[in-house]
Amino acid sequence: MRSKSATPSENLLEELQAALSHGTVARRVETLRRVTDLFVGNAVDYSDDHVRVFDDVFQCLVEQIEISARALLAERLAPVASAPPKIIRTLALDEVIEVSGPVLSKSERLDEATLIEIARTRGQAHLKAISLRRVLSEALTDLLVTRGNEDVVQSTLSNPGARLSEGSLTDLVSRAERDDDLATCIGLRPDLPRHHYLKLVAKASLSVRRKLEAAHPELADEVSSVVQEATQRVRAAATTRQTEMARALVKSLHADGRLNEFQVSTFAEQDKFDETNAGLAALAGVAVETAETMMIDSRTEGVMILAKVAGMSWSSVRAIIAMREKLSGGSQTDMLALRDTYEALRSSTAQQVLRFHRMQQGTTPAA
């Protein structure tokens, strides 16, 4: 009885010759479909010699066919472990991502050298496809996080099969200081070395730290200690003589009973951040460091929480928010929507949120 592995070079060779010699594009596509069906249906039975025959056939047929036919071929061959290597490489190098994408993301037959070549020379769509592979070597990962855009980098970091080199980790942790999404992606990796994890959370925003502590509860106590120490060092380094004078002025006004909502609003209108922050802290009864953390957060909720606890009117809150936007260079917020949110905020709710902030920071109410 003849085995299946003896069939590929018989009847199809005549049909192939006819298709290549004087066949139309439609005939080429139909021949390609039949050859693909034959290979995929019996791939496990073919010897290396027969795979090479198929490889030559595929190479001939794809030279003058439309993109959709090449894309379909790529989709069908990509999951096959014994797919012909030359056609796999040809498809992977195709500039059209609909053709190359399936092979780049799925094919185990694609060699490392070709993947690195593509990662070095192709665009973001090709890099994104590579980032989805089941396993990524350190060499590939280095290229993806170096050349890739935000989407590619996050896709790579979210891939548990991506191996990260020490150099890439050091660079990514440094970049994450300015990117909360990147910090979260890195921090949630189970294979992140502990020293990188602690460095990451020490400089991460409050929202990121909460996510990471929830994902790594066994490190929560240590993380809290590291964060507190780092925060104190950063604040101490950033405190200038001007800041100290501003805080001293506000403390004097408060002690004399001359600090009120109007004074804090005036500070804000004059773009005096340190005075505004210290004044808001005093009126809300919190440590100036707690108010500072809530003031510099990218969201406006912190300001509204402090102001509600201090009993401020919306006009004063609006002045403080406007000052923050002007000093940070951020985009303007919808003041009408914020006004509605502030007026709907209950004082009791604001007090509860503020207590939570104090607990997170390990601070006590201001004297």
Side-chain angles (χ1 to χ4, degrees):
M1 182 175 179
R2 183 180 299 176
S3 69
K4 292 180 181 178
S5 61
T7 62
S9 61
E10 294 180 357
N11 296 335
L12 276 178
L13 286 180
E14 294 183 6
E15 181 178 340
L16 174 63
Q17 183 63 38
L20 294 176
S21 299
H22 48 78
T24 62
V25 172
R27 185 168 183 178
R28 278 176 174 264
V29 172
E30 176 57 25
T31 303
L32 178 63
R33 183 193 64 78
R34 290 195 57 214
V35 172
T36 307
D37 287 344
L38 180 62
F39 179 79
V40 173
N42 305 281
V44 295
D45 295 321
Y46 295 135
S47 67
D48 290 344
D49 287 341
H50 288 108
V51 171
R52 281 191 287 271
V53 171
F54 274 103
D55 216 347
D56 292 337
V57 170
F58 283 129
Q59 287 288 110
C60 292
L61 288 172
V62 298
E63 288 180 359
Q64 297 179 3
I65 62 173
E66 57 193 11
I67 292 174
S68 60
R70 299 203 310 276
L72 180 59
L73 176 64
E75 282 283 0
R76 299 195 64 190
L77 291 183
V80 181
S82 60
K86 287 193 296 185
I87 189 61
I88 286 294
R89 174 178 164 82
T90 297
L91 294 170
L93 289 168
D94 200 301
E95 294 185 357
V96 179
I97 190 60
E98 288 77 11
V99 177
S100 57
V103 175
L104 292 175
S105 61
K106 301 174 187 175
S107 179
E108 301 294 333
R109 192 69 153 171
L110 195 56
D111 62 282
E112 176 89 351
T114 300
L115 284 166
I116 289 178
E117 176 187 349
I118 294 169
R120 284 175 175 164
T121 58
R122 290 290 194 263
Q124 298 302 316
H126 289 72
L127 295 178
K128 174 65 177 292
I130 294 174
S131 75
L132 300 173
R133 292 181 66 81
R134 186 176 61 85
V135 176
L136 292 171
S137 67
E138 286 188 1
L140 271 175
T141 301
D142 284 349
L143 283 169
L144 293 175
V145 300
T146 300
R147 294 196 64 237
N149 59 19
E150 181 179 343
D151 187 33
V152 170
V153 172
Q154 291 195 18
S155 176
T156 302
L157 293 175
S158 299
N159 184 344
R163 294 169 54 192
L164 292 161
S165 69
E166 181 69 18
S168 285
L169 283 171
T170 300
D171 177 59
L172 287 167
V173 170
S174 177
R175 287 159 58 182
E177 294 178 23
R178 304 173 297 278
D179 187 333
D180 280 4
D181 291 334
L182 179 58
T184 302
C185 277
I186 301 171
L188 291 178
R189 285 189 63 89
D191 60 345
L192 183 65
R194 179 174 168 277
H195 65 285
H196 282 301
Y197 179 78
L198 294 178
K199 180 179 179 182
L200 182 72
V201 296
K203 298 183 179 181
S205 69
L206 181 61
S207 61
V208 171
R209 292 201 298 269
R210 288 174 185 164
K211 292 178 184 177
L212 300 185
E213 289 175 11
H216 301 279
E218 73 281 2
L219 293 176
D221 291 341
E222 187 169 10
V223 166
S224 178
S225 176
V226 170
V227 169
Q228 192 168 12
E229 289 181 13
T231 301
Q232 290 172 352
R233 287 197 302 270
V234 171
R235 282 200 172 116
T239 300
T240 64
R241 176 62 178 164
Q242 182 178 355
T243 300
E244 293 174 349
M245 291 176 62
R247 292 179 179 178
L249 170 63
V250 171
K251 185 176 182 179
S252 175
L253 291 173
H254 189 235
D256 293 343
R258 292 181 292 146
L259 183 69
N260 53 32
E261 175 183 346
F262 175 77
Q263 182 62 68
V264 174
S265 178
T266 300
F267 285 148
E269 291 171 354
Q270 295 172 347
D271 297 332
K272 294 182 177 180
F273 177 86
D274 290 324
E275 288 86 347
T276 303
N277 178 71
L280 188 54
L283 294 182
V286 301
V288 69
E289 291 83 3
T290 300
E292 186 177 72
T293 298
M294 299 173 75
M295 282 278 281
I296 65 177
D297 188 45
S298 59
R299 300 164 300 177
T300 57
E301 287 88 344
V303 172
M304 292 195 288
I305 292 295
L306 290 169
K308 181 63 70 168
V309 171
M312 287 187 169
S313 64
W314 166 246
S315 61
S316 298
V317 180
R318 181 177 57 195
I320 297 172
I321 294 174
M323 177 202 67
R324 289 174 73 251
E325 291 178 349
K326 182 177 180 181
L327 295 179
S328 66
S331 58
Q332 292 188 344
T333 54
D334 185 349
M335 288 294 185
L336 290 178
L338 289 179
R339 182 194 63 188
D340 293 340
T341 300
Y342 182 73
E343 290 178 350
L345 178 64
R346 295 181 178 180
S347 179
S348 58
T349 302
Q351 290 281 3
Q352 289 176 341
V353 174
L354 191 54
R355 281 196 294 271
F356 179 79
H357 272 277
R358 288 169 177 158
M359 180 184 69
Q360 287 292 105
Q361 298 220 319
T363 59
T364 56

